[in-house]
Amino acid sequence: TTRQAPQQGTMEGEEENVQQEESVVVESKEEESAKVIEQPAFIVPVAKPLAGPVLTRKLLRLVKFATEEKQIRRGIKEVVKDLRKQKDPEKLKNRLCIIAGDITPLDVITHVPVLCEDNQVPYIFVRSREELGAASITKRPTSCVMLVLTGNSQHINLFTQCKQKLLDKQPKYA
C-alpha cells in the first residue's frame, strides 16, 4: 500500500509528520533499553550451577575489582594452564572460576569444570560471555575467568562471601 503525501500548507499533514517522528524516537529508546537487558537465548545444557541475577552481579563486580588489581586469569587457555601447573593446595584456596554459559561449541568448555573439581576450585556459570568480558575490562567477550586473589587484596571480604555461596551451589557427588 502506498500512502499519499498530504498537500503542503495543511496543518493535518504537518501534525502527522510530527507524530510519526515522535513515535520513532519513542521506539528507538525502548529498543535501546531492551538491548541492555537482553539475555542470551541459548545456555549450554551443562551450565550447572548457574548463578542467579544477584550472585551474577556480585561476581561480575568482583571480576572488575580483580582485573583492576591484576589478579585474574582470562580465557580458557590461561585458566587451564593455571589449573594444571598450580599444585599447591594453599594457593588453590584463593581461586574462583567463572564460566560463561552461552559458549558454542560446547566442547570448548566441558573440561574446565572437571579440572576445577579435581583441584577443589569452586566454579559457577554466568549467563553471558559479553557481560563477563565487559566486567574483565576487555572489548572482547570472555568465555572463562579465574580469580586469583591474594591475602592482601582490598576485596577479600567480597571474595570470601561469593566463594561461600559457590561452595553451597557446587554439585555433591557420593
Side-chain angles (χ1 to χ4, degrees):
T1 61
T2 58
R3 189 171 171 209
Q4 293 180 352
Q7 295 178 358
Q8 289 185 349
T10 62
M11 294 299 286
E12 285 181 39
E14 291 175 15
E15 288 176 13
E16 283 182 30
N17 288 339
V18 171
Q19 287 176 353
Q20 286 178 355
E21 288 175 11
E22 288 176 3
S23 66
V24 169
V25 171
V26 171
E27 286 175 8
S28 64
K29 287 181 183 178
E30 289 174 1
E31 288 174 7
E32 282 181 26
S33 63
K35 287 179 185 176
V36 173
I37 299 171
E38 185 177 318
Q39 293 293 327
F42 175 74
I43 303 283
V44 293
V46 296
K48 292 179 179 70
L50 186 64
V54 175
L55 183 58
T56 299
R57 247 190 334 266
K58 285 183 180 182
L59 288 169
L60 294 177
R61 191 172 52 175
L62 187 61
V63 167
K64 186 174 182 179
F65 293 146
T67 303
E68 290 169 357
E69 295 177 359
K70 299 195 187 306
Q71 297 179 343
I72 195 169
R73 304 287 183 270
R74 191 179 306 124
I76 298 284
K77 189 175 179 181
E78 280 188 42
V79 169
V80 170
K81 180 179 169 184
D82 192 62
L83 285 170
R84 287 197 176 142
K85 284 192 172 188
Q86 191 57 257
K87 296 299 177 191
D88 185 15
E90 286 299 315
K91 289 187 177 178
L92 285 172
K93 284 184 180 178
N94 291 333
R95 296 207 173 5
L96 189 82
C97 189
I98 304 167
I99 308 166
D102 61 343
I103 303 297
T104 55
L106 175 65
D107 299 340
V108 173
I109 58 164
T110 52
H111 64 288
V112 176
V114 175
L115 281 171
C116 289
E117 288 174 5
D118 289 345
N119 292 310
Q120 286 89 30
V121 174
Y123 66 93
I124 195 157
F125 287 86
V126 293
R127 291 193 172 275
S128 171
R129 61 187 175 161
E130 284 82 13
E131 290 177 351
L132 197 56
S136 59
I137 310 175
T138 61
K139 293 178 183 177
R140 305 250 336 171
T142 303
S143 57
C144 185
V145 164
M146 186 163 59
L147 306 175
V148 186
L149 289 186
T150 58
N152 60 2
S153 175
Q154 297 175 2
H155 307 288
I156 199 76
N157 292 335
L158 181 61
F159 177 79
T160 53
Q161 182 184 18
C162 288
K163 186 173 180 178
Q164 188 58 43
K165 287 185 180 184
L166 265 81
L167 288 172
D168 294 341
K169 288 184 172 248
Q170 291 299 303
K172 308 285 189 264
Y173 300 108

